[in-house]
mmCIF file of all heavy atoms in Angstrom:
data_model
loop_
_atom_site.group_PDB
_atom_site.id
_atom_site.type_symbol
_atom_site.label_atom_id
_atom_site.label_comp_id
_atom_site.label_asym_id
_atom_site.label_seq_id
_atom_site.Cartn_x
_atom_site.Cartn_y
_atom_site.Cartn_z
ATOM 1 N N ALA A 63 -102.881 73.039 -21.132
ATOM 2 C CA ALA A 63 -102.659 73.334 -22.551
ATOM 3 C C ALA A 63 -101.519 74.334 -22.723
ATOM 4 O O ALA A 63 -100.709 74.226 -23.658
ATOM 5 C CB ALA A 63 -103.944 73.870 -23.185
ATOM 6 N N ILE A 64 -101.437 75.303 -21.812
ATOM 7 C CA ILE A 64 -100.338 76.276 -21.866
ATOM 8 C C ILE A 64 -99.010 75.584 -21.618
ATOM 9 O O ILE A 64 -98.033 75.772 -22.360
ATOM 10 C CB ILE A 64 -100.558 77.398 -20.830
ATOM 11 C CG1 ILE A 64 -101.779 78.242 -21.191
ATOM 12 C CG2 ILE A 64 -99.318 78.283 -20.719
ATOM 13 C CD1 ILE A 64 -102.228 79.179 -20.079
ATOM 14 N N LEU A 65 -98.944 74.769 -20.581
ATOM 15 C CA LEU A 65 -97.692 74.103 -20.219
ATOM 16 C C LEU A 65 -97.186 73.203 -21.346
ATOM 17 O O LEU A 65 -95.973 73.071 -21.554
ATOM 18 C CB LEU A 65 -97.883 73.296 -18.937
ATOM 19 C CG LEU A 65 -98.102 74.111 -17.660
ATOM 20 C CD1 LEU A 65 -98.462 73.194 -16.498
ATOM 21 C CD2 LEU A 65 -96.864 74.939 -17.319
ATOM 22 N N GLN A 66 -98.092 72.600 -22.083
ATOM 23 C CA GLN A 66 -97.694 71.697 -23.164
ATOM 24 C C GLN A 66 -96.992 72.422 -24.305
ATOM 25 O O GLN A 66 -96.275 71.805 -25.083
ATOM 26 C CB GLN A 66 -98.912 70.944 -23.682
ATOM 27 C CG GLN A 66 -99.422 69.879 -22.713
ATOM 28 C CD GLN A 66 -100.734 69.261 -23.154
ATOM 29 O OE1 GLN A 66 -101.202 69.496 -24.277
ATOM 30 N NE2 GLN A 66 -101.352 68.483 -22.275
ATOM 31 N N THR A 67 -97.187 73.741 -24.413
ATOM 32 C CA THR A 67 -96.528 74.493 -25.485
ATOM 33 C C THR A 67 -95.045 74.719 -25.205
ATOM 34 O O THR A 67 -94.275 74.976 -26.129
ATOM 35 C CB THR A 67 -97.182 75.877 -25.682
ATOM 36 O OG1 THR A 67 -96.902 76.708 -24.537
ATOM 37 C CG2 THR A 67 -98.676 75.765 -25.892
ATOM 38 N N GLY A 68 -94.653 74.685 -23.924
ATOM 39 C CA GLY A 68 -93.276 74.990 -23.575
ATOM 40 C C GLY A 68 -92.955 76.472 -23.590
ATOM 41 O O GLY A 68 -91.800 76.878 -23.448
ATOM 42 N N ILE A 69 -93.980 77.323 -23.744
ATOM 43 C CA ILE A 69 -93.795 78.773 -23.806
ATOM 44 C C ILE A 69 -94.059 79.368 -22.430
ATOM 45 O O ILE A 69 -95.045 79.036 -21.775
ATOM 46 C CB ILE A 69 -94.748 79.410 -24.851
ATOM 47 C CG1 ILE A 69 -94.547 78.753 -26.214
ATOM 48 C CG2 ILE A 69 -94.520 80.916 -24.934
ATOM 49 C CD1 ILE A 69 -93.151 78.836 -26.771
ATOM 50 N N ARG A 70 -93.196 80.291 -22.004
ATOM 51 C CA ARG A 70 -93.289 80.865 -20.664
ATOM 52 C C ARG A 70 -94.315 81.989 -20.562
ATOM 53 O O ARG A 70 -95.069 82.074 -19.600
ATOM 54 C CB ARG A 70 -91.908 81.377 -20.248
ATOM 55 C CG ARG A 70 -91.874 82.061 -18.882
ATOM 56 C CD ARG A 70 -90.448 82.435 -18.501
ATOM 57 N NE ARG A 70 -90.405 83.000 -17.155
ATOM 58 C CZ ARG A 70 -90.529 84.290 -16.865
ATOM 59 N NH1 ARG A 70 -90.726 85.170 -17.852
ATOM 60 N NH2 ARG A 70 -90.476 84.722 -15.624
ATOM 61 N N ASN A 71 -94.316 82.887 -21.539
ATOM 62 C CA ASN A 71 -95.196 84.059 -21.481
ATOM 63 C C ASN A 71 -96.632 83.675 -21.810
ATOM 64 O O ASN A 71 -96.889 82.974 -22.799
ATOM 65 C CB ASN A 71 -94.745 85.134 -22.472
ATOM 66 C CG ASN A 71 -93.403 85.739 -22.108
ATOM 67 O OD1 ASN A 71 -93.025 85.762 -20.937
ATOM 68 N ND2 ASN A 71 -92.673 86.220 -23.104
ATOM 69 N N VAL A 72 -97.561 84.172 -20.999
ATOM 70 C CA VAL A 72 -98.982 83.930 -21.229
ATOM 71 C C VAL A 72 -99.689 85.276 -21.272
ATOM 72 O O VAL A 72 -99.479 86.128 -20.402
ATOM 73 C CB VAL A 72 -99.600 83.068 -20.107
ATOM 74 C CG1 VAL A 72 -101.084 82.806 -20.388
ATOM 75 C CG2 VAL A 72 -98.838 81.760 -19.942
ATOM 76 N N THR A 73 -100.527 85.476 -22.282
ATOM 77 C CA THR A 73 -101.319 86.693 -22.401
ATOM 78 C C THR A 73 -102.791 86.325 -22.316
ATOM 79 O O THR A 73 -103.310 85.598 -23.165
ATOM 80 C CB THR A 73 -101.039 87.425 -23.728
ATOM 81 O OG1 THR A 73 -99.655 87.784 -23.793
ATOM 82 C CG2 THR A 73 -101.882 88.689 -23.836
ATOM 83 N N LEU A 74 -103.446 86.831 -21.280
ATOM 84 C CA LEU A 74 -104.894 86.641 -21.114
ATOM 85 C C LEU A 74 -105.573 87.871 -21.689
ATOM 86 O O LEU A 74 -105.318 89.001 -21.257
ATOM 87 C CB LEU A 74 -105.230 86.471 -19.633
ATOM 88 C CG LEU A 74 -106.685 86.130 -19.289
ATOM 89 C CD1 LEU A 74 -107.082 84.783 -19.887
ATOM 90 C CD2 LEU A 74 -106.885 86.127 -17.783
ATOM 91 N N THR A 75 -106.429 87.654 -22.684
ATOM 92 C CA THR A 75 -106.973 88.785 -23.424
ATOM 93 C C THR A 75 -108.443 88.548 -23.755
ATOM 94 O O THR A 75 -109.055 87.608 -23.295
ATOM 95 C CB THR A 75 -106.114 89.031 -24.696
ATOM 96 O OG1 THR A 75 -106.525 90.239 -25.328
ATOM 97 C CG2 THR A 75 -106.185 87.876 -25.673
ATOM 98 N N GLY A 76 -109.021 89.437 -24.548
ATOM 99 C CA GLY A 76 -110.424 89.347 -24.922
ATOM 100 C C GLY A 76 -110.643 90.049 -26.251
ATOM 101 O O GLY A 76 -109.734 90.091 -27.075
ATOM 102 N N GLY A 77 -111.781 90.736 -26.396
ATOM 103 C CA GLY A 77 -112.709 91.147 -25.381
ATOM 104 C C GLY A 77 -112.071 91.773 -24.141
ATOM 105 O O GLY A 77 -111.018 92.355 -24.176
ATOM 106 N N GLU A 78 -112.810 91.616 -23.065
ATOM 107 C CA GLU A 78 -112.344 92.075 -21.762
ATOM 108 C C GLU A 78 -112.323 90.883 -20.812
ATOM 109 O O GLU A 78 -113.372 90.490 -20.280
ATOM 110 C CB GLU A 78 -113.248 93.186 -21.227
ATOM 111 C CG GLU A 78 -112.949 93.607 -19.808
ATOM 112 C CD GLU A 78 -111.470 93.837 -19.566
ATOM 113 O OE1 GLU A 78 -110.904 94.755 -20.200
ATOM 114 O OE2 GLU A 78 -110.865 93.114 -18.749
ATOM 115 N N PRO A 79 -111.148 90.291 -20.582
ATOM 116 C CA PRO A 79 -111.095 89.056 -19.799
ATOM 117 C C PRO A 79 -111.541 89.223 -18.348
ATOM 118 O O PRO A 79 -112.040 88.269 -17.750
ATOM 119 C CB PRO A 79 -109.623 88.646 -19.885
ATOM 120 C CG PRO A 79 -108.884 89.913 -20.190
ATOM 121 C CD PRO A 79 -109.814 90.693 -21.066
#
Side-chain angles (χ1 to χ4, degrees):
I64 293 168
L65 291 172
Q66 288 173 9
T67 69
I69 304 302
R70 177 175 184 270
N71 293 333
V72 181
T73 300
L74 186 63
T75 188
E78 173 47 63

